[in-house]
Amino acid sequence: MSRDVVTAVELTKRYRRSEVPAVDGISFEIGQGETVGLLGPNGAGKTTLIKMICGVTAPTTGHLRVFGADPVSDPVGAKTGIGAMHQSGPYDEMLSGLDNLQIAARFRGLSWRDVRPWALEVAEYLGLTKALPQLVFQLSGGQRQRLQMVRALLTIPKLLILDEPSAGLDVAGRHQVERFVRWLRDDLDVTVLWTSHHIDELERNCQRILVIDRGRVLRFAHPRELIREFGGTHLVVSVDDAVAGKVVAEWAETAGFAATVQDNDVRIDGAAAHDVLAPLTRHCADAGAAISGIATVTDSLEQVFLRMTERSEGPGSSKSTESRG
């Protein structure tokens, strides 16, 4: 990576009528060509942070640079290379999708003649070509979402900000968008800042995850590092009926493990298969309980995220501003 695209140092944003800051002294760096996931619960400060990067709102204190420029005092230097796809955007509902793209190009000072070939290529890849002549109010939620992406990509950005890009898309549409974004990163060296409630989406596509809560950075690291640090492995024992599940759970608790029964599966935390397999199977055989399978399962990023945000609550929570995972 040649240089940092976004640099934030002790960045804080306070709104007048709020007792707590929306963004509370966070520091991080995003390198050129990275895909970074921005992850946090509702109200964590994600939207405020994106607004500051886009120059829509100014920080209260701290230092923010995008392409080395201040988004507020030097908006041309900071914002020229940004393409942003927001959760929702203003459309003229009584104009076609194509007309809305032309208006967006004019608003950004771009020549529609120059950007049209690329915009139509993006629309074709996203399966939107046939929908472009339709009036926007006739488009489905998924088609509107794709139109948002085309509008964000009227030119090839240096930094692409994706705010819930898969909202309203089916599974096939989500994977289509993911493939396209990976192509932008790998072939065109586009830096991506990606926020999504589909945490598996971030786990698949992001090199690092910036986890924030209550305006603070909890951790900035590769998904595997987060899982290794905050997650764990557990056994899932499949049984034939509720009676067998109770037998397995009682054995696990007697052996000092936490056990959770859900349908015909018993989750045993902190147990390794090679340590418990023999005594567990003997116990079940003696009790006449049938086991149909045992598997070792690793926590997903979603489970890790829930654990991290739970740990951030309360008086014992700590503030971290790690910038390199």
Side-chain angles (χ1 to χ4, degrees), residues 269-284:
D269 293 328
H274 58 81
D275 292 331
V276 305
L277 184 58
L280 174 59
T281 51
R282 282 197 304 268
H283 176 80
C284 290

Side-chain angles (χ1 to χ4, degrees), residues 118 121 178-188:
W118 166 250
E121 184 177 342
E178 290 177 33
R179 288 193 300 271
F180 184 63
V181 174
R182 286 196 296 269
W183 176 77
L184 289 172
R185 180 192 68 195
D186 296 342
D187 286 30
L188 302 180

Side-chain angles (χ1 to χ4, degrees), residues 146-169:
R146 290 181 173 91
L147 186 62
Q148 285 270 45
M149 177 161 279
V150 178
R151 183 162 62 179
L153 291 167
L154 289 174
T155 60
I156 301 173
K158 296 178 182 177
L159 171 62
L160 176 61
I161 297 175
L162 299 175
D163 191 4
E164 301 292 341
S166 61
L169 299 180

Side-chain angles (χ1 to χ4, degrees), residues 9-14 23 25-26 52 58-64:
V9 179
E10 291 296 319
L11 196 64
T12 298
K13 178 64 181 182
R14 294 180 178 272
V23 171
I26 68 175
M52 287 192 286
T60 306
T61 59
H63 172 93
L64 177 65

Side-chain angles (χ1 to χ4, degrees), residues 11-25 48 52 57-61:
L11 196 64
T12 298
K13 178 64 181 182
R14 294 180 178 272
Y15 292 105
R16 287 184 178 180
R17 297 184 180 180
S18 177
E19 295 181 359
V20 296
V23 171
D24 189 8
T48 298
M52 287 192 286
T57 188
T60 306
T61 59

